[in-house]
Amino acid sequence: MLRPVFPIETERLTLRPFREDDLEGLYAYQSLPEVARFLYWEPRNLEESRSFLKEKMSASAVEREGDWLVLAVVLRETGGLMGEVNLQWRSREHRQGEIGYIFNPAFHGRGFATEAAEVVLRLGFEGLDLHRVVGRLDGRNAASARVLERLGMRREAHLVQNEMVKGEWTDEVVYAMLRDEWDRRAPVPPVPSG
């Protein structure tokens, strides 16, 4: 079981459970075609985002296998919602987990996703005592692959045309990290800005 103490602070970010007043920020990125492009869902309208917000608000702890921890990522400087990070407890027996993240493109390219995803990796390994954590992505999503690589995850698989998504065959790429790799990892390098 994992019940983090909130808020979780990093150098630039605050991670916390979603709240009702996050609707505008959530809709701002869920409604964008470029955000939905590599995901299973189409851009969402306001009512769809409102429905998903309710689900996200109830995902602030991991109590059983299959549960997702879903955290709002907020820029500490402004308090504005930037995106989300997720951790799923996939298998109790095999101590497996999965991470994910979605960010508003206005915040891409500055290392925010890496900074936030490092928190959920830590929660998975040190909070849930996971043995292995994976990150799965559409094979065309090079930016997401770079996030996982910066975290020190290794590319384990490239499944060619393994899923039909939005009417087309897509590749899936799988990255993974083991607990002992987490324990030995080097700090995540900052992303140069400018």
Side-chain angles (χ1 to χ4, degrees):
M1 181 179 333
L2 175 65
R3 291 184 177 274
V5 175
F6 298 111
I8 300 170
E9 304 280 340
T10 69
E11 181 181 341
R12 302 177 293 172
L13 309 174
T14 299
L15 281 66
R16 57 160 174 76
F18 273 87
R19 309 183 303 222
E20 283 187 26
D21 64 352
D22 289 323
L23 178 59
E24 184 179 327
L26 178 66
Y27 174 66
Y29 64 84
Q30 284 195 340
S31 64
L32 298 173
E34 62 267 35
V35 170
R37 179 176 179 214
F38 298 126
L39 301 171
Y40 293 110
W41 40 269
E42 296 292 345
R44 295 189 171 135
N45 64 38
L46 184 60
E47 286 311 308
E48 289 168 330
S49 287
R50 188 183 317 277
S51 174
F52 278 91
L53 177 59
K54 289 179 182 169
E55 288 180 28
K56 293 175 187 304
M57 288 170 53
S58 65
S60 61
V62 176
E63 297 179 353
R64 63 189 67 81
E65 182 180 272
D67 282 356
W68 281 94
L69 176 69
V70 182
L71 302 178
V73 180
V74 175
L75 185 60
R76 286 176 58 186
E77 186 177 297
T78 65
L81 180 67
M82 307 166 65
E84 63 191 75
V85 288
N86 310 292
L87 171 67
Q88 184 187 34
W89 190 7
R90 295 192 60 163
S91 171
R92 176 189 298 270
E93 178 184 2
H94 303 292
R95 295 175 38 214
Q96 307 282 312
E98 179 176 339
I99 64 166
Y101 38 86
I102 304 171
F103 276 75
N104 187 318
F107 300 101
H108 286 182
R110 292 180 273 169
F112 294 125
T114 305
E115 189 173 328
E118 186 176 29
V119 171
V120 290
L121 266 180
R122 180 174 42 82
L123 290 171
F125 287 124
E126 298 173 15
L128 271 178
D129 193 31
L130 296 177
H131 169 69
R132 182 173 185 271
V133 175
V134 299
R136 300 179 308 121
L137 55 114
D138 184 301
R140 300 168 295 179
N141 194 344
S144 186
R146 285 191 298 275
V147 169
L148 298 175
E149 290 165 0
R150 278 195 300 273
L151 289 167
M153 298 180 82
R154 99 191 95 64
R155 184 174 166 151
E156 281 194 339
H158 184 141
L159 308 171
V160 178
Q161 295 186 8
N162 71 313
E163 292 183 310
M164 176 68 73
V165 179
K166 300 177 185 174
E168 65 179 312
W169 288 108
T170 61
D171 294 4
E172 179 180 11
V173 176
V174 179
Y175 282 80
M177 179 181 277
L178 300 174
R179 172 63 190 258
D180 65 339
E181 292 169 323
W182 169 257
D183 291 339
R184 294 190 317 261
R185 81 198 186 296
V188 175
V191 173
S193 58

